[in-house]
Amino acid sequence: MSVGNLRTRYESAGQGHLFTFWDDLSDAERDALRTQLEALDIERVNRIYQKAVTAEKELAESTGTESIEPLPEDAADSVIGDPAKEKEWRGIGLQAIARGEVGVLLMAGGQGTRLGSSAPKGCYDIGLPSHKTLFQYQAERIARLQTLAAQSAGKEAGSVVIPWYVMTSGPTRKETESFFKKHNYFGLDSSHIIFFEQGTLPCLTMDGKVLLETRSRVAVAPDGNGGVYAALRRPLSSDSSTTVLSDLDRRKVLYIHAYCVDNCLVRIADPVFLGYCIQKQADCAAKVVPKAYPTESVGVVARRGDKFSVVEYSEISKEQAERRTPSGELAFRAANIVNHFYTTSMLKNVESFEEDLAFHIARKKIPHVNLESGESVKPAKPNGMKLEMFVFDVFPFAKHFAVLEVARADEFSPLKNAPGTGSDDPDTSRRDLLAQHRRYLEAAGATVKEGVEIELSPLVTYAGEGLESVKGKTFTRSGYVESVEELDALV
């Protein structure tokens, strides 16, 4: 497209100010800005802005009037205190994994900024004896699960594959790929690890004008974890025919487990969750944990009108938050932990209703260039907005939605805050993971002395299985083990 036509297009869209400094730019700067503007669907940006503003206003007006109800009994199950159901679902899930029908989708676009690190969050070491990063823990859980599934189906070792789709962002893509390569893909076959990138959207002023970060570059930000759905359709390489969705088809993957990188307890491709969803014939599902207390600041999976949705804690009244069921449990207790199941067909179907989804507005302090002076501005208070879609925005469109409740202590310990914060920080992640390993050993019949911390490699056990040999033993020394045999040194 000629520069004249490009400028006309942007002026027609009310965004002609992006050419303010054009005449003063070098040839290289003009090429960079032109490339960025040609790739941008500015009309779509305007539509997204208008829809987001309208949706935010409608939500504010409907708060308190819209019907928000707890999950109906037939929509949710729990594994808590039901080992028979858990065993049945695990068997179904392991069979699906053994047949090669399961893939894993990791949302890993975030940086560890709040942790004091500029590296991708998955590269973070929470201070375990092994000093393994989140990425390594997750890779080794996949490896262990592949082994378990092969054993359960009577297949030879190494014959079962769980492909791992790793969604990065612009700032984390290169470093994530380098980290995996440097660590030899943590023992996994690199041909089954597929990296892709979530999209970006321009940052806007409060009235919808695109901000310039510099005189020759538009300010952009990742489009939220809900950007994963569009990212699945984007070309993986210069070969435009290969996408994540086409790769899933090629591998004949039917079911996807999706999760966030920052949960050190996540059970990747959890066969129990998979088996539950397959048995329920769900096309989309959420794994949840019980709220810790009525006013905990978490979103909950509930019903908004006649649709399943994640309802933010700010939308639930104190009376609703404290409501109890006849059995004494909190009515609104299904805390969302960004741990989801999809059929591949559901992921393909998102494109058909994506235009109906409204982006959410996050008002932020966005560095930009002053259009009059050309000087850089670092605002002291929010001056603009980033537009994000949330991964759970598709829930209302699922035809068969299901919810599985699991124990928080076993499956959810997020890493959000800087060391020393006291909650959702590296210390609590480390504590929760080592406490789980203690429970695994004790459940297998061992005694672990007070103050002793034993870290079990994911290659030793996925969820407490395979520890029969520790029965009757008393562990008196702390340490890290990579095989069951090494535990004898800690007696």
Side-chain angles (χ1 to χ4, degrees):
M1 186 183 293
S2 70
V3 172
N5 287 343
L6 190 63
R7 190 192 290 252
T8 299
R9 179 182 163 200
Y10 272 80
E11 287 172 349
S12 298
Q15 304 282 5
H17 63 280
L18 296 174
F19 287 85
T20 297
F21 304 104
W22 184 265
D23 293 340
D24 302 322
L25 300 179
S26 67
D27 288 344
E29 288 172 326
R30 286 182 182 180
D31 286 345
L33 180 59
R34 179 176 176 175
T35 299
Q36 197 178 18
L37 296 180
E38 283 180 338
L40 192 60
D41 185 343
I42 193 61
E43 294 81 11
R44 175 175 177 262
V45 171
N46 285 346
R47 289 197 305 273
I48 287 172
Y49 165 74
Q50 291 294 345
K51 192 170 182 64
V53 169
T54 302
E56 185 181 62
K57 183 181 177 185
E58 288 174 351
L59 183 63
E61 290 172 350
S62 67
T63 298
T65 62
E66 191 176 37
S67 169
I68 295 175
E69 293 295 332
L71 292 170
E73 290 296 319
D74 62 351
D77 273 285
S78 178
V79 298
I80 300 172
D82 199 337
K85 272 187 181 177
E86 190 175 349
K87 183 179 179 182
E88 180 185 1
W89 293 331
R90 183 183 293 108
I92 296 170
L94 285 172
Q95 288 170 21
I97 293 169
R99 290 193 297 266
E101 296 172 352
V102 174
V104 169
L105 175 56
L106 165 58
M107 290 170 278
Q111 293 170 284
T113 312
R114 281 163 67 182
L115 299 168
S117 167
S118 61
K121 224 179 201 184
C123 302
Y124 199 83
D125 168 8
I126 60 174
L128 292 166
S130 67
H131 292 289
K132 289 180 180 178
T133 60
L134 294 173
F135 280 143
Q136 183 164 356
Y137 244 80
Q138 292 163 24
E140 291 182 355
R141 284 186 182 132
I142 290 173
R144 173 66 181 169
L145 191 52
Q146 289 176 163
T147 299
L148 288 175
Q151 289 172 350
S152 72
K155 291 191 167 187
E156 62 181 86
S159 64
V160 171
V161 169
I162 302 172
W164 197 9
Y165 299 89
V166 181
M167 184 176 80
T168 63
S169 61
T172 66
R173 172 78 180 259
K174 188 175 179 182
E175 196 168 351
T176 299
E177 290 198 50
S178 297
F179 193 76
F180 271 72
K181 191 173 183 179
K182 177 184 174 184
H183 293 277
N184 199 28
Y185 300 90
F186 312 107
L188 295 175
D189 184 335
S190 62
S191 68
H192 303 309
I193 302 176
I194 298 91
F195 298 96
F196 67 109
E197 199 171 309
Q198 72 185 102
T200 59
L201 282 170
C203 302
L204 308 176
T205 63
M206 297 302 186
D207 58 355
K209 299 296 183 185
V210 175
L211 284 162
L212 280 171
E213 183 181 354
T214 68
R215 298 190 312 163
S216 61
R217 185 169 66 245
V218 171
V220 297
D223 55 6
N225 57 17
V228 64
Y229 303 110
L232 298 177
R233 302 192 301 268
R234 288 196 197 99
L236 287 173
S237 62
S238 55
D239 174 11
S240 61
S241 65
T242 306
T243 64
V244 171
L245 289 179
S246 73
D247 193 74
L248 290 169
D249 275 346
R250 180 179 68 81
R251 296 174 184 268
K252 297 181 172 58
V253 171
L254 302 180
Y255 312 110
I256 300 290
H257 175 231
Y259 69 99
C260 264
V261 72
D262 61 4
N263 176 13
C264 69
L265 296 181
V266 64
R267 291 187 179 174
I268 297 148
D270 175 18
V272 176
F273 186 36
L274 290 166
Y276 165 73
C277 296
I278 293 167
Q279 189 181 73
K280 284 276 185 179
Q281 296 184 311
D283 57 350
C284 182
K287 184 183 277 193
V288 301
V289 298
K291 281 177 76 171
Y293 50 91
T295 55
E296 185 182 9
S297 300
V298 293
V300 295
V301 182
R303 296 273 284 190
R304 194 192 296 275
D306 63 346
K307 300 287 187 182
F308 292 99
S309 183
V310 171
V311 179
E312 297 298 343
Y313 61 90
S314 56
E315 300 176 67
I316 295 177
S317 68
K318 186 172 184 290
E319 181 186 33
Q320 286 174 314
E322 293 176 348
R323 191 197 304 178
R324 301 271 175 180
T325 66
S327 62
E329 295 176 304
L330 290 173
F332 290 94
R333 69 177 181 277
N336 176 47
I337 60 173
V338 196
N339 194 313
H340 303 148
F341 165 92
Y342 307 91
T343 58
T344 305
S345 57
M346 169 73 181
L347 292 177
K348 290 178 183 173
N349 192 41
V350 173
E351 186 176 13
S352 69
F353 58 76
E354 207 164 40
E355 285 290 320
D356 297 329
L357 300 175
F359 280 74
H360 306 268
I361 297 171
R363 290 172 176 80
K364 302 281 187 179
K365 293 181 283 189
I366 303 169
H368 62 284
V369 65
N370 184 296
L371 293 177
E372 293 180 5
S373 67
E375 295 179 354
S376 296
V377 179
K378 284 195 172 180
K381 60 182 182 180
N383 64 305
M385 58 177 70
K386 296 179 180 181
L387 297 169
E388 302 174 322
M389 191 175 284
F390 298 152
V391 70
F392 53 73
D393 286 338
V394 304
F395 287 3
F397 296 86
K399 292 183 175 66
H400 302 286
F401 190 79
V403 177
L404 184 65
E405 181 184 74
V406 297
R408 183 184 292 238
D410 281 328
E411 301 207 33
F412 187 55
S413 181
L415 180 62
K416 304 285 186 188
N417 302 317
T421 306
S423 67
D424 298 346
D425 67 8
D427 297 327
T428 58
S429 292
R430 179 187 189 279
R431 176 201 71 198
D432 292 345
L433 192 57
L434 292 176
Q436 182 184 65
H437 293 183
R438 169 184 284 265
R439 290 195 302 274
Y440 287 165
L441 291 167
E442 290 174 342
T447 299
V448 184
K449 288 288 189 183
E450 190 68 32
V452 170
E453 293 182 331
I454 297 175
E455 181 189 353
L456 303 170
S457 167
L459 298 172
V460 172
T461 184
Y462 175 86
E465 81 293 330
L467 300 173
E468 294 80 9
S469 63
V470 305
K471 187 173 182 178
K473 293 178 180 177
T474 299
F475 294 103
T476 60
R477 298 174 60 195
S478 299
Y480 163 67
V481 300
E482 288 191 302
S483 70
V484 176
E485 291 75 22
E486 290 178 17
L487 280 164
D488 287 340
L490 303 179
V491 172

